[in-house]
Amino acid sequence: MDGLIILDNNGRPIIMSNFRNHPPSYPLVHVDSFNDALSKTQEAGNTKSLDPVLYVSNTMQPSLCFHVESGGLRFLCPASEDVDPVYVFTFLQTFLTILKEYLHDISLSTLKDHFDVVYQLLEEMLDDGKPMTTEPNALRDIVLPPSFFDKILNVAGVSGLPSMTPTPFSSPIPWRKQGVKYNNNEIYFDIAEEIEAIVGRNGSLLSSEIWGNIKCNCRLSGTPDLILSFTNPKVMLDPSFHSCVRLQKYQQTSALSFVPPDGNFVLMDYRVLASATPALKTVSAVSSTQLQLQLIPLILKPVIELGEKGGKTYHITSCKAIF
């Protein structure tokens, strides 16, 4: 990655990181290439057909331009060397997540009001094209989140007030701040799952796959050490964890042992296949609990309607939960 460029809804750059190893025209070439590709898809009437990775050849060295959209803004990330696309898009998604935590809303007006905060985050998160500090708790020790009180001080011209922020990187754990205190100690776990399934015309399940994640909201004092166990961890395939999870402990006991970050974070992602559930040999030999594992929790009913001109069929699917 060479840097980051933020465009407004008219395709004009409003915020740009420092491209130290490239000429001044390098980022502008990628902006022009992206705007040209976007205008072509808009003329064709299908902006969704725009490739997420664009090949830019009109530079001294051919490069790539990765881009995502959020809040009506475009975030471009040029890359002149071979790089894994997942690596770049993961950084872009992390940057957007931290922006939302700081600004609560990603829009043109919000970025203009807090452009200094955005620039500071860029300097700390991306150094010479390499991701550096991406943990929200560590960033809060370096870059203070904007507040209404800070706006009043800036308008009044007051400066030099002592900061209550602790020394940056003073905590031995990178993802957790030091000296966290709450009157009520609590932690919330939210399990969200999405089902992708193919259902036959007679209602039978042909194939299915479940994508899930565990989101946490931690409000615990000090440095808590937690263990989260599962009833049947074998059904969770391809798990990916937050950096706070001890991988060796999970491989030994299939339980999550971790020191959680403060605030909101995603603890783990996973997927579940239909083949991972117990196989059904005979209906009479299984319990109702095992039977529910083989079915999606929805009743799908196809409805066919003819259009006004005739000869045209609309396939409408109505869903009903069976929880």
Side-chain angles (χ1 to χ4, degrees):
M1 296 185 298
D2 300 325
L4 187 65
I5 308 170
I6 304 178
L7 307 181
D8 61 9
N9 52 5
N10 295 321
R12 295 174 298 185
I14 55 175
I15 293 178
M16 186 184 308
S17 63
N18 187 12
F19 292 82
R20 300 175 184 174
N21 301 325
H22 297 277
S25 61
Y26 179 79
L28 300 179
V29 169
H30 290 79
V31 172
D32 294 337
S33 299
F34 171 79
N35 289 331
D36 292 341
L38 181 61
S39 61
K40 292 179 181 178
T41 57
Q42 290 176 345
E43 291 176 358
N46 186 12
T47 56
K48 294 183 179 180
S49 63
L50 181 63
D51 294 332
V53 182
L54 302 177
Y55 179 75
V56 181
S57 59
N58 51 347
T59 57
M60 297 180 60
Q61 179 182 359
S63 58
L64 299 175
C65 181
F66 302 83
H67 63 91
V68 295
E69 189 273 337
S70 179
L73 305 175
R74 299 281 183 170
F75 296 79
L76 312 184
C77 187
S80 57
E81 299 179 356
D82 292 337
V83 62
D84 190 349
V86 178
Y87 178 76
V88 181
F89 286 118
T90 300
F91 172 78
L92 288 174
Q93 188 60 46
T94 303
F95 180 73
L96 292 176
T97 301
I98 292 178
L99 271 186
K100 290 180 181 178
E101 291 186 4
Y102 267 77
L103 309 180
H104 307 290
D105 177 47
I106 298 180
S107 62
L108 179 59
S109 59
T110 305
L111 263 63
K112 285 184 176 181
D113 293 339
H114 306 289
F115 72 94
D116 54 336
V117 176
V118 179
Y119 268 113
Q120 292 180 60
L121 290 175
L122 272 177
E123 289 295 325
E124 298 297 337
M125 295 183 64
L126 193 65
D127 184 14
D128 197 18
K130 298 179 179 60
M132 298 296 289
T133 306
T134 57
E135 284 294 335
N137 286 293
L139 284 171
R140 291 192 189 97
D141 291 344
I142 309 171
V143 182
L144 293 177
S147 64
F148 182 73
F149 180 70
D150 294 333
K151 289 184 179 180
I152 296 177
L153 294 181
N154 292 333
V155 172
V158 179
S159 61
L161 294 180
S163 175
M164 298 301 295
T165 305
T167 305
F169 307 110
S170 59
S171 175
I173 303 176
W175 57 83
R176 186 169 180 85
K177 294 188 298 184
Q178 194 175 22
V180 179
K181 294 182 180 179
Y182 289 99
N183 293 329
N184 297 324
N185 290 277
E186 52 193 5
I187 183 171
Y188 298 93
F189 294 92
D190 186 11
I191 301 178
E193 294 184 342
E194 296 181 359
I195 301 175
E196 295 181 1
I198 300 177
V199 182
R201 60 189 304 175
N202 58 352
S204 61
L205 182 62
L206 302 180
S207 65
S208 67
E209 197 170 33
I210 300 174
W211 301 86
N213 57 45
I214 300 178
K215 300 178 181 180
C216 302
N217 184 5
C218 180
R219 301 175 183 175
L220 299 176
S221 304
T223 308
D225 199 333
L226 308 180
I227 296 179
L228 178 64
S229 59
F230 304 97
T231 304
N232 188 12
K234 295 182 179 180
V235 301
M236 296 189 298
L237 306 177
D238 301 332
S240 61
F241 306 100
H242 189 275
S243 56
C244 67
V245 177
R246 300 182 179 94
L247 295 180
Q248 186 176 3
K249 188 74 172 181
Y250 178 80
Q251 294 172 353
Q252 295 174 353
T253 63
S254 297
L256 300 183
S257 176
F258 59 100
V259 176
D262 183 52
N264 297 292
F265 67 99
V266 178
L267 181 62
M268 69 172 296
D269 295 273
Y270 61 90
R271 69 185 181 95
V272 179
L273 293 176
S275 58
T277 58
L280 295 179
K281 297 181 179 179
T282 58
V283 177
S284 59
V286 298
S287 63
S288 59
T289 303
Q290 290 176 318
L291 183 61
Q292 290 179 358
L293 291 176
Q294 303 298 314
L295 303 175
I296 59 174
L298 299 172
I299 297 176
L300 305 179
K301 182 180 178 181
V303 179
I304 300 176
E305 295 181 356
L306 297 178
E308 296 180 356
K309 298 181 180 180
K312 190 174 182 180
T313 305
Y314 296 87
H315 296 276
I316 302 176
T317 304
S318 60
C319 302
K320 179 180 179 182
I322 60 173
F323 293 111

